[in-house]
Amino acid sequence: MDINFNKNEDFNKLQVSELQKKLRQVYKGGGEHRIAKLHEKGKLSARERLNYIFDKDSKCIEIAAFAGEDMYPEHGGCPSGGVVVKIGYISGKQCIVVANDATVKAGAWFPITGKKNLRAQEIAMENNLPIIYLVDSAGVYLPMQDEIFPDKEHFGRIFRNNAIMSSKGITQIAAVMGSCVAGGAYLPIMSDESLIVDKTGSIFLAGSYLVKAAIGETIDNETLGGATTHTEVSGVCDYKAADDKDALDKIKRIIAKIGDADQAGFNRSEAKLPKENIEEIYGILPKSRTEQYDMKEIIKRLVDNSEFDEYKSNYGKTLICAYARIDGWAVGIVANQRKVVKNGKGEMQFGGVIYSDAADKATRFIANCNQKKIPLVFLQDVTGFMVGSKSEHGGIIKDGAKMVNAVSNSVVPKFTVVIGNSYGAGNYAMCGKAYDPRLIFAWPSAELAVMGGTQAAKVLLQIETAALKKQGEKITPEKEKEILDTISNRYKKQTSPYYAAARIWTDAIIDPLDTRKWVSMGIEAANQAPIEKQFNLGVIQV
């Protein structure tokens, strides 16, 4: 190993260490003192409920752990969006569980909470996954009600999705383990089955104080909407549980009796570990996002037996297209090659840039994978499409459009790993969030932006200095540097993977060593949803 390998390894391991440190903080939710208060009431925290409901020692992945990170400082923050979402196994069956975190503003819904809940439902609907709601929420966070209540992708969409999933036969189970108020009260009755925990769970459209104010009736919350009321009088809930663990045990027994879903039929053989040491990824991936490296060396450390069959290996070399297996699952990999290569004419091509020949190759490969019913895995480290007169005259826009068309119309499940750069139209062509990957997750080395930081900062500098000059201000070299530093720092923050994860532009930031697990569990989930449409590219210019 050379000195650069060691430097890269140290840097990337520090990045992962920082990731783990941030996650440990997120896992505390609203703080240990608030968790202690839940325990005093005989309740488990959201994460304790999830740990209990999933099969012991089974795999799981967490969706949007960094949702809301640094987004609401004026409101005291919203760790993990005030809700914990995980995909894991209950009684051996893969499920997705949504648990309100009552330690964060009593589980109230911030705008990002709504977005995260909708993402969980989207995953359930795309993959026919049973979804379990562990409800413990004070409802909409009123100071921000205008950003969570009335729009299409706001709070009301949750109940619309409840109805759609019910019509599709996707199992939904709700356990009311704390407050369930106002509009949120519809969730249990719109689920297939509902449970309520005695003495701690409550459901009502309006609490006792509001009832008193509205109609003058004096009543306590337990009588108004407690477990006894809703299992013996109203019939809203199907089961009364003695405590949190009793409720979770009942859910386990219900899930254990669900029949198997029809499968999509994706090919899987016996899983094999990579022959190459996966931990060498830390040394291969360069410290700087501008440095070159061979993406094939990364692929060898992600795929079974470190084997892959490259499609058109000597054509369109800035994109690698290959058939492989990950944890036994057959996959088609589309990856940006990050080293300088020569095309068939002997001309040099920049790594990380998509040229016409590469776009043409990828379009055909994506079509092949759809024909063969092979899930697609995109490994992103892309700076965009090639620019300049030669590329424009050669039809780069047309070839890029064909690739975007293929990605858009693909009917096999897609999974996107943001390894490094994810810039501009390259993000789109390589299946960014707008192109419906079943899961999209990033390594700590990722950067997402419309263009690279250096280029963007220079463009913004030109705009800002021009505006100041129009106002009569003299721009000295020192002033120009000050403006550039301010712009660069702001842009750098916005390109961070944590900035993207906070807004759920990605589902997670993960240790690169967990990539195989995420792809494998994602394909396993997707395999429960048979493909209903045929692949059709539509109209394209050849």
Side-chain angles (χ1 to χ4, degrees):
M1 300 300 175
D2 61 22
I3 189 68
N4 284 333
F5 183 97
N6 293 333
K7 286 180 179 179
N8 292 339
E9 185 177 44
D10 290 344
F11 176 79
N12 287 310
K13 284 186 175 181
L14 281 173
Q15 294 274 80
V16 171
S17 178
E18 181 64 19
L19 166 64
Q20 292 167 344
K21 179 182 175 182
K22 285 177 176 288
L23 284 172
R24 285 194 295 270
Q25 186 61 38
V26 162
Y27 295 160
K28 294 177 182 178
E32 293 175 358
H33 66 291
R34 290 181 181 168
I35 295 174
K37 285 185 177 180
L38 288 183
H39 292 166
E40 288 171 9
K41 297 177 183 178
K43 297 166 69 174
L44 300 173
S45 71
R47 291 185 180 278
E48 288 168 338
R49 289 166 177 168
L50 286 164
N51 289 340
Y52 187 86
I53 198 170
F54 286 126
D55 296 345
K56 189 175 180 181
D57 298 326
S58 64
K59 295 185 295 184
C60 69
I61 56 178
E62 181 169 353
I63 303 298
F66 289 110
E69 181 88 351
D70 295 330
M71 285 181 66
Y72 308 106
E74 68 277 21
H75 296 281
C78 187
S80 219
V83 61
V84 185
V85 176
K86 286 189 176 185
I87 300 173
Y89 301 87
I90 301 173
S91 301
K93 185 171 290 291
Q94 198 178 43
C95 304
I96 185 165
V97 185
V98 181
N100 297 117
D101 187 348
T103 70
V104 180
K105 291 287 193 294
W109 285 50
F110 282 67
I112 199 66
T113 316
K115 187 173 184 179
K116 185 168 176 177
N117 274 268
L118 289 171
R119 176 62 179 140
Q121 289 187 318
E122 180 182 40
I123 291 170
M125 287 189 285
E126 285 180 331
N127 300 292
N128 284 348
L129 279 184
I131 183 168
I132 294 94
Y133 309 97
L134 306 182
V135 185
D136 195 346
S137 171
V140 167
Y141 182 59
L142 289 178
M144 302 187 77
Q145 64 84 26
D146 61 320
E147 297 181 48
I148 184 60
F149 171 66
D151 208 348
K152 179 179 178 180
E153 298 294 333
H154 281 178
F155 190 77
R157 189 80 170 180
I158 300 293
F159 312 121
R160 175 264 188 193
N161 287 349
N162 288 144
I164 296 297
M165 282 190 278
S166 181
S167 73
K168 291 184 175 182
I170 299 171
T171 298
Q172 300 176 85
I173 300 171
V176 181
M177 311 179 86
S179 297
C180 182
V181 300
Y186 288 102
L187 185 110
I189 201 62
M190 295 194 76
S191 297
D192 302 328
E193 296 186 80
S194 61
L195 306 85
I196 185 168
V197 178
D198 195 22
K199 300 299 186 291
T200 58
S202 58
I203 309 172
F204 33 66
L205 294 179
S208 56
Y209 291 119
L210 188 53
V211 168
K212 177 69 174 177
I215 63 173
E217 181 183 3
T218 302
I219 189 170
D220 63 89
N221 282 339
E222 184 64 24
T223 305
L224 181 66
T228 299
T229 295
H230 284 310
T231 56
E232 297 181 21
V233 180
S234 72
V236 165
C237 290
D238 304 310
Y239 309 95
K240 179 163 72 172
D243 55 27
D244 281 8
K245 289 186 177 180
D246 184 37
L248 299 172
D249 285 335
K250 287 180 188 294
I251 293 172
K252 291 179 185 182
R253 293 195 292 272
I254 293 169
I255 294 292
K257 297 175 181 65
I258 297 175
D260 291 335
D262 293 337
Q263 296 200 330
F266 303 126
N267 184 277
R268 192 179 196 184
S269 61
E270 181 184 353
K272 295 179 181 178
L273 292 173
K275 279 186 177 179
E276 302 289 345
N277 183 358
I278 190 171
E279 292 195 11
E280 289 177 355
I281 286 174
Y282 296 135
I284 295 167
L285 192 66
K287 178 179 177 180
S288 170
R289 295 278 27 89
T290 60
E291 288 183 39
Q292 304 287 306
Y293 65 96
D294 190 351
M295 181 63 83
K296 291 180 185 179
E297 294 303 318
I298 298 288
I299 295 172
K300 287 177 185 177
R301 287 153 180 83
L302 294 178
V303 301
D304 289 14
N305 221 27
S306 298
E307 293 177 345
F308 58 90
D309 295 305
E310 191 173 354
Y311 174 79
K312 290 184 182 286
S313 61
N314 294 314
Y315 179 75
K317 293 181 181 180
T318 63
L319 275 177
I320 300 165
C321 297
Y323 298 109
R325 292 189 182 273
I326 293 179
D327 200 34
W329 293 105
V331 296
I333 294 172
V334 181
N336 301 111
Q337 176 57 288
R338 276 308 311 265
K339 69 176 185 177
V340 173
V341 296
K342 288 184 179 180
N343 65 14
K345 300 174 184 177
E347 300 166 331
M348 302 304 292
Q349 294 184 331
F350 297 107
V353 179
I354 302 176
Y355 290 75
S356 285
D357 54 357
D360 177 67
K361 175 173 77 171
T363 301
R364 179 66 180 270
F365 181 73
I366 290 167
N368 285 347
C369 287
N370 274 270
Q371 185 185 52
K372 296 177 175 68
K373 206 157 68 171
I374 299 173
L376 286 159
V377 177
F378 292 83
L379 303 181
Q380 282 194 6
D381 196 346
V382 57
T383 53
F385 285 90
M386 190 58 192
V387 297
S389 61
K390 185 175 181 180
S391 292
E392 298 292 2
H393 297 170
I396 184 66
I397 296 174
K398 179 179 66 177
D399 292 320
K402 287 192 288 187
M403 183 177 174
V404 170
N405 197 320
V407 173
S408 302
N409 285 299
S410 179
V411 297
V412 295
K414 298 166 290 192
F415 302 89
T416 301
V417 189
V418 188
I419 289 176
N421 303 324
S422 181
Y423 296 158
N427 169 283
Y428 302 157
M430 291 295 293
C431 197
K433 183 67 181 287
Y435 292 81
D436 296 324
R438 295 293 176 97
L439 293 172
I440 176 170
F441 46 96
W443 291 1
S445 47
E447 289 186 2
L448 290 85
V450 72
M451 66 174 70
T454 302
Q455 303 96 309
K458 288 179 179 177
V459 171
L460 292 168
L461 175 66
Q462 290 173 2
I463 295 169
E464 192 160 333
T465 53
L468 290 171
K469 285 176 181 177
K470 280 186 179 180
Q471 297 169 16
E473 187 169 338
K474 185 179 180 181
I475 306 298
T476 64
E478 292 77 18
K479 180 67 175 177
E480 185 174 283
K481 183 180 184 304
E482 180 186 333
I483 295 170
L484 181 61
D485 288 344
T486 301
I487 292 171
S488 296
N489 290 335
R490 183 174 68 238
Y491 200 83
K492 183 178 180 181
K493 180 181 178 182
Q494 292 175 352
T495 62
S496 160
Y498 294 97
Y499 190 92
R503 289 151 183 81
I504 320 183
W505 300 343
T506 60
D507 291 317
I509 305 170
I510 69 164
D511 183 337
L513 306 191
D514 288 333
T515 302
R516 284 169 52 85
K517 178 177 75 171
W518 272 76
V519 172
S520 177
M521 288 188 67
I523 298 176
E524 182 181 348
N527 200 38
Q528 298 185 55
I531 297 172
E532 297 174 352
K533 296 188 298 181
Q534 284 191 330
F535 177 67
N536 188 336
L537 271 180
V539 177
I540 60 170
Q541 293 187 16
V542 296

